Amino acid sequence: MTQELNDGLPAREAALNLIDAALSRRGGIDEAASANGFRFLEPRERAFARALAMAVLRHLGPIDRALAAKLQKAPPDRVMNLLRLGAAQAFHLEVPAFAAVATSVELAGANKTSRPFKGLVNAVLRGLLRDGQPADDPALLAPPWLYARWVSAFGEATAREIAAQIAQEPATDLSVKPSADVATLVEALEAEELPGGSLRVRRKGDVAGWPGFEDGTWWVQDAAAAVPARLLTIKPGDKVLDLCAAPGGKTLQLAATGATVTALDRSAARLKRVDENLERMQLTAEVVAADAAVWEDTRTFDAILLDAPCSATGTFRRHPDVLWAARPSDVASLATVQARILDSAADRLKPGGQLVYTVCSLEPEEGEAQVEAFLARRKDMALEPIAPGEGGAPEASLTARGTLRLLPHHRDGGQDGFFAARFKKL
């Protein structure tokens, strides 16, 4: 083993921990990446570890199918993850094949659980390399139960287009303060301006070093995630409530309109990020830690944005671990929570006020079905149809009902999956 290969072992070990966290539902990659063992790596090692883990998760279905053909029975989890890591390095990252195999074998020997399987790791990975890279069949990129749901909801052709986005590494989208010089930013960041005003940036690296970050000119927010807040008609001074606000991208959008914004979330820890972003952007909002369904506050608001807790299946482009952590039962249980918060939001809305309900989910129970059930029980609320192209949404995302079903393939270069509906209080 050369010194060069040894230098990459800590990052690969960290990647194994990230993969294990993602697949065992232990908080996912983001939580694992905040652990001390990960944070103490050098920045270059952290970036490499994350890239390794993401490559595994983006291509997990095809990799597992190729591995299954080489294995008579499933090995221990660590060994399986080592095989996945080796395959992802060889087929999806610019890692020489010999290094992908050698480092995987070295890591196998460094742990008592995997040490007896060094020979297996070596033989299986070499066999995969002889066979060549497995095709990324879209039908294999998502968990079978989830892909079947997408076929049922959208049809086979659309399900394949959605799933094909799983393997794609996304660009970084930015939302910009209204006072910003967009033309200067586009040039400085080599960005593309999207409908609605988001900027799409394809550069890599730490965003904190990009032009405009320190000045509080922009914040990171997917182009689809930026659409729902734009659907509210807000005047300076309007009282606006952002429910389930963390991590705060939509709060910043609302505060930038000049509205008096209250940002509420049940997680005080996540609200610290909202406070930090407001400070950097030199914007203000009242930040409240409370459960949106039972918040004891009698105020009413001119406009409310509810980005409800959901299965988050639409966020797989940046968080592929959500696909493998989700369970079929999650959708039904979350739909119950969403209905309760929707009713609470409607109660807090002034007559004539607007309520936008949105979820970063691809599941109809959390979107379309939620809207119909809400309208059936709330005769004081009416659907306010969204216009074609409104908020910067692709026209393909507009439904016949006047809601938005933002699918990942509806925008060139992809976008997160969202559902959004707008209501008016009678």
Side-chain angles (χ1 to χ4, degrees), residues 285-410:
E286 176 192 13
V287 178
V288 179
D291 186 331
V294 294
W295 181 36
E296 294 181 355
D297 192 301
T298 59
R299 285 179 289 175
T300 56
F301 296 84
D302 299 296
I304 298 177
L305 177 61
L306 169 55
D307 186 357
C310 68
S311 61
T313 52
T315 67
F316 63 69
R317 293 165 62 249
R318 289 177 176 80
H319 305 284
D321 49 315
V322 302
L323 299 175
W324 305 98
R327 298 291 182 269
S329 58
D330 295 345
V331 176
S333 62
L334 285 163
T336 301
V337 174
Q338 292 151 9
R340 192 167 69 247
I341 301 177
L342 248 177
D343 282 330
S344 177
D347 292 339
R348 302 178 194 279
L349 190 64
K350 292 180 180 178
Q354 289 178 319
L355 164 63
V356 166
Y357 168 77
T358 187
V359 285
C360 54
S361 166
L362 297 173
E363 314 316 307
E365 295 94 326
E366 300 179 86
E368 292 86 348
Q370 199 66 259
V371 166
E372 300 309 325
F374 179 63
L375 291 172
R377 69 178 181 269
R378 296 295 303 230
K379 301 306 180 185
D380 57 336
M381 302 294 294
L383 191 66
E384 192 174 74
I386 298 164
E390 191 175 351
E395 292 200 17
S397 301
L398 186 65
T399 72
R401 192 80 163 95
T403 60
L404 290 177
R405 171 51 76 186
L406 295 140
L407 295 178
H409 65 287
H410 280 170

Side-chain angles (χ1 to χ4, degrees), residues 119-206:
L120 176 76
V121 170
N122 183 60
V124 169
L125 289 179
R126 290 184 182 279
L128 286 186
L129 290 170
R130 284 193 297 271
D131 293 346
Q133 181 172 337
D136 268 341
D137 180 354
L140 297 178
L141 287 168
W145 72 269
L146 196 51
Y147 185 78
R149 287 179 61 87
W150 296 347
V151 171
S152 177
F154 308 115
E156 178 73 40
T158 298
R160 289 183 68 83
E161 289 187 279
I162 293 170
Q165 292 288 326
I166 297 170
Q168 306 303 314
E169 183 178 357
T172 300
D173 295 341
L174 309 177
S175 288
V176 180
K177 283 177 76 171
S179 59
D181 184 339
V182 175
T184 299
L185 273 178
V186 166
E187 183 177 357
L189 293 165
E190 301 176 43
E192 171 193 1
E193 186 174 4
L194 303 178
S198 294
L199 301 185
R200 177 154 289 181
V201 184
R202 301 198 179 276
R203 63 164 62 192
K204 305 297 181 186
D206 185 0

Side-chain angles (χ1 to χ4, degrees), residues 16 56 75 77 79 94 113 212 238 337 344 380 386 426:
L16 283 176
V56 169
D77 288 347
V79 177
E94 295 179 359
T113 300
D238 278 355
V337 174
S344 177
D380 57 336
I386 298 164
L426 304 177

Side-chain angles (χ1 to χ4, degrees), residues 32-83:
S34 67
N36 285 343
F38 190 85
R39 290 191 293 112
F40 290 157
L41 292 173
E42 293 294 324
R44 180 176 56 84
E45 292 179 315
R46 286 201 301 271
F48 184 43
R50 193 175 184 93
L52 289 170
M54 296 295 270
V56 169
L57 295 170
R58 291 191 200 286
H59 305 277
L60 185 64
I63 286 174
D64 276 5
R65 186 174 195 178
L67 288 173
K70 302 289 183 186
L71 296 167
Q72 292 184 347
K73 63 178 182 178
D77 288 347
R78 177 181 170 85
V79 177
M80 191 67 186
N81 287 337
L82 276 168
L83 291 169

